[in-house]
Amino acid sequence: MMRHSAAHVMAEAVLSIFPGTKFGIGPAIENGFYYDFELPRSLNPDDLPLIESRMAEIIASDTPFIKEVIDKKEARQLFAEQPYKLELIDEIPDEKVSLFRQGSFVDLCRGPHVDTTGKIGAFKLISIAGAYWRGDEHHPMLQRIYGVAFDTKEALAKHLEELDEAAKRDHRKLGRELDLFSIHEEAGPGLVHWHPKGAVIRRVIEDFWKDEHVKRGYDIVYTPHIAKLDLWRTSGHWEFYRDYLYTPMEIEGQEYIVKPMNCLGHILMYKTKLHSYRELPIRYAELGTVYRYERSGVLHGLSRVRGFTQDDAHIFCRFDQLENEVVGVLDLALFMVDTFGFTDYQLLLSTRPEKYAGTIQVWDEATKTLSQALSRLNLDYTVDPGEGVFYGPKIDIKFKDTLGRGWQGPTIQIDFNLPQRFDVTYVGEDGREHSVAMVHRTVLGSMERFLASLIEHYGGAFPMWLAPVQVVVIPVADRNLDYAYKLEAELKSEGVRIKVDARSERMNLKIRQAQLDKVPYMLVVGDNEVASSTVSVRLRSGEHVSSLLLESFKETLRRIITTKVRDLKL
Ligand SMILES: [Zn+2]
Ligand SMILES: [Zn+2]
């Protein structure tokens, strides 16, 4: 109530500064509020303090919020100059509409509100964004001002501090500063270009991912990026998810689309021959790049994109193997999440929605299988009733980052739909064909979103095994360069990602640069180090560790890299 009241006060303040302002909507949101305006000019951040001070005056005046109920006809006259409000009035089913007044300002509103403007607590306007009227790109673009509001100054200060920390860790900002990736208007929004340093992180993750999957009985496969539309008609994707699919292209009189998921390729491969019950489970894993249409308004850095690489796999098994398979996936998923340093997570079991494929009996059995698998691993979970996808129940793992924000992580999904639509079977002990149990699963989500979570979790200071550059050698003087290059060659041959900063800059400046690049180790080498075959080690935190013999430094690096430990103690 207080936050929504602040939105009204902001609208009044904006109107007093920009007469003729047209108003969209101004709801309360988590931690604050926003209001959408059509204004005579573009706002810039310098406008916010002025709006804030007008708001402070209105709040100090302690003006009452007064509710009025009037006829629609009267309301249309009152808001004759407000096209967006007129549109809203037309949609109200009742003949009467309600208004709220504070002083001379009046807004169309159901309420409720606080009694007087003085009841609004501590607030701050934090950002300006463009927002299409009703979120639709065919409608005019309005200007949205976001604010936050809390009961006390202390609570506001705490929240602003958290926002500040989140802004410092924003993966779009760090992605640019650390030269990890870019997205180009010329190439299209939501399409990610991985720069060499971002690509190093991705390659390390992919190598680790592939090795771990092979160890756990998966076969790595590759499937094409486009496929005939008919395939997606058979699967039901064309019918159910058409809004997310790109327009078909025609090739030799046949329609094709870029793939939105990898499942169908894996099904076609499975079906190239008959499978006996003894061969199951079959697990196909693919780092498969898929494309889905997302409105430009919802795209966000790496976390909401139009093209992304899923760390995907499909398991084809017998129903009596399903529980073991789910246990295996859960174990792998938690191992992955933990290895990357996310120690706090939440498990959700989503059950049958209103519209569903298959019978209630198979749903109940599959849901029971999922919960038994969770119990076998002693995992606590929350049931999310009715939140399953229409084709089967699922388990989602949401992990939390350093700031306690949740990220969509692994999902394990049972599918009753595709095996039936594509007639995916195996030959049982009885010599007859039986429908397989099919599991879709991902343990990281997508490479793009996972990198976003890693960047924000670590604030760009990646653990040693993921860092694009692990060691920078900083020679004190030019005469120490030979020794620096010798170190580089030796460590490189051990697989360490190392660089020599040979620029003729001051040593402190080079140290500063390596810290900004968040390189885990700096080796400062001067005459003493050359003479004694040692290295003087500094951490990106600024801490100077000690002088170490080159051999013992190498030994430590090996240990840190192979065990993927996250702390950098030497
Ligand atoms: Zn209101
Ligand atoms: Zn799938």
Side-chain angles (χ1 to χ4, degrees), residues 111-131:
H113 279 275
V114 291
D115 297 340
T116 65
T117 57
K119 296 278 191 315
I120 294 169
F123 75 96
K124 183 156 179 60
L125 303 185
I126 50 167
S127 63
I128 302 161

Side-chain angles (χ1 to χ4, degrees), residues 4 8 109 113:
H4 174 60
H8 279 233
C109 179
H113 279 275

Side-chain angles (χ1 to χ4, degrees), residues 168-184:
K168 276 189 216 148
R169 289 166 178 266
D170 189 320
H171 72 272
R172 296 167 301 175
K173 174 178 167 282
L174 285 172
R176 203 167 43 241
E177 288 171 6
L178 300 174
D179 196 15
L180 302 177
F181 70 91
S182 58
I183 294 169
H184 304 265

Side-chain angles (χ1 to χ4, degrees), residues 60-75:
S61 73
D62 203 18
T63 309
F65 283 100
I66 297 163
K67 184 176 179 172
E68 278 175 42
V69 177
I70 59 172
D71 288 335
K72 261 186 172 176
K73 201 175 146 220
E74 216 181 314

Side-chain angles (χ1 to χ4, degrees), residues 473-484:
V473 187
I474 301 173
V476 176
D478 281 353
R479 63 178 177 277
N480 309 128
L481 263 173
D482 283 348
Y483 182 64

